Amino acid sequence: AQTVTQSQPEMSVQEAETVTLSCTYDTSESNYYLFWYKQPPSRQMILVIRQEAYKQQNATENRFSVNFQKAAKSFSLKISDSQLGDTAMYFCAFVPGAGSYQLTFGKGTKLSVIP
Amino acid sequence: NAGVTQTPKFRVLKTGQSMTLLCAQDMNHEYMYWYRQDPGMGLRLIHYSVGEGTTAKGEVPDGYNVSRLKKQNFLLGLESAAPSQTSVYFCASSSPIMDEQFFGPGTRLTVL
C-alpha cells in the first residue's frame, strides 16, 4: 500500500518570501504520478502542480515548483514570491500508474502567508 | 461547463436517518470518486467507479453505498447515518487518458 507523509502540519511565511513544503511517500511502483493540491478556505480542491515519476526534470508552474527526488521518495513544493492568496491547506497526493487512478493523500500542511 | 457539481452543499441528519448525495459531471469523464475529509486528515477514498454501471470499494467503504446508473452521475448513499459519518464529502472525476482528478465543491454533512 502507498503512504504519503507531510511532516509539517502548519507553516507560515512572510508575503513575497519563499517557502518549501515537504512530502515523502512510500511505494514499490516504478511509474507513478505525484500532485500538490491547494485547498483554500472556500474548500475547493485545486491542482497546483503535477510530476510524472519517469520525468527527471522538476515540474514548474509560474511561482510553484517541485523538487522531486525519486531515490529518496521525496516531493517538496516551493512557493516563490508568496502571496496572501496562497494561504490554504496544501495536500501532497500520489497515484500509481498502470491504469490506477486512486489518489492517496497526505494529511496536509496549513500554510499562512503573513502580510 | 459546470465541471463537477454536488448536491446538497450542507446537510444535518439525525442518527439512523438515510440520505443520498448527488454528484454530476459534464466533462464526459469515465472515472468518478467519492472521498471524505476529516479534520487533520487528507481525503480518503470511499468508493469509486471506472464506468457506467460499475463501482468498487475504496479505503473506507463501510456504511456507504454507491450507484453509477448514468455516466455523468455518481450517487453516495448513507442507509443509516452515524455520528462517525460527520465529515466533508468530495466527489471527483477523471479521464483514463489523464491523471488529474477534478473535484466538486464538497458537501458538509453533520450527523447528530
Side-chain angles (χ1 to χ4, degrees):
Chain A
Q2 286 76 222
T3 59
V4 178
T5 302
Q6 294 179 247
S7 58
Q8 305 150 315
E10 293 191 40
M11 295 189 72
S12 61
V13 62
Q14 291 290 135
E15 194 175 6
E17 296 296 310
T18 296
V19 64
T20 299
L21 281 57
S22 301
C23 172
T24 58
Y25 58 94
D26 186 26
T27 183
S28 57
E29 302 284 342
S30 58
N31 188 28
Y32 48 87
Y33 301 88
L34 294 159
F35 306 87
W36 279 98
Y37 278 89
K38 170 185 177 180
Q39 187 180 41
S42 67
R43 207 168 64 196
Q44 182 70 48
M45 295 289 288
I46 302 165
L47 179 66
V48 174
I49 199 166
R50 65 151 57 80
Q51 174 80 42
E52 292 90 342
Y54 64 87
K55 290 186 177 179
Q56 294 184 338
Q57 186 173 5
N58 289 327
T60 300
E61 289 287 345
N62 300 314
R63 296 183 296 108
F64 299 87
S65 61
V66 298
N67 183 6
F68 173 50
Q69 301 289 329
K70 190 172 184 179
K73 297 182 180 176
S74 171
F75 183 61
S76 60
L77 174 69
K78 185 172 82 171
I79 305 174
S80 303
D81 186 25
S82 297
Q83 300 176 0
L84 296 179
D86 295 334
T87 293
M89 285 289 292
Y90 287 82
F91 293 96
C92 180
F94 168 99
V95 61
S100 175
Y101 292 89
Q102 299 180 57
L103 279 173
T104 299
F105 285 86
K107 294 185 177 181
T109 296
K110 184 177 181 180
L111 177 66
S112 299
V113 180
I114 303 167
Chain B
N1 191 343
V4 180
T5 58
Q6 293 182 229
T7 308
K9 289 185 170 52
F10 303 92
R11 185 72 186 267
V12 178
L13 290 179
K14 295 181 179 179
T15 297
Q17 288 185 320
S18 64
M19 78 162 294
T20 300
L21 305 182
L22 171 64
C23 176
Q25 53 94 5
D26 61 3
M27 296 174 283
N28 202 34
H29 285 167
E30 290 291 334
Y31 295 3
M32 296 187 75
Y33 314 82
W34 276 108
Y35 294 90
R36 61 177 288 172
Q37 183 180 26
D38 301 298
M41 305 285 289
L43 277 68
R44 292 182 293 169
L45 183 65
I46 304 172
H47 286 280
Y48 65 100
S49 168
V50 299
E52 183 178 320
T54 72
T55 62
K57 294 180 180 180
E59 180 185 355
V60 288
D62 294 341
Y64 305 95
N65 56 76
V66 289
S67 63
R68 183 100 181 267
L69 299 179
K70 293 182 178 180
K71 184 177 182 179
Q72 63 268 34
N73 295 338
F74 195 29
L75 279 63
L76 178 71
L78 286 73
E79 291 186 349
S80 179
S84 61
Q85 294 177 305
T86 293
S87 189
V88 179
Y89 291 87
F90 286 93
C91 177
S93 70
S94 68
S95 164
I97 61 172
M98 292 183 66
D99 47 83
E100 178 181 354
Q101 292 189 13
F102 295 82
F103 285 83
T107 295
R108 180 176 294 279
L109 175 66
T110 301
V111 183
L112 302 175

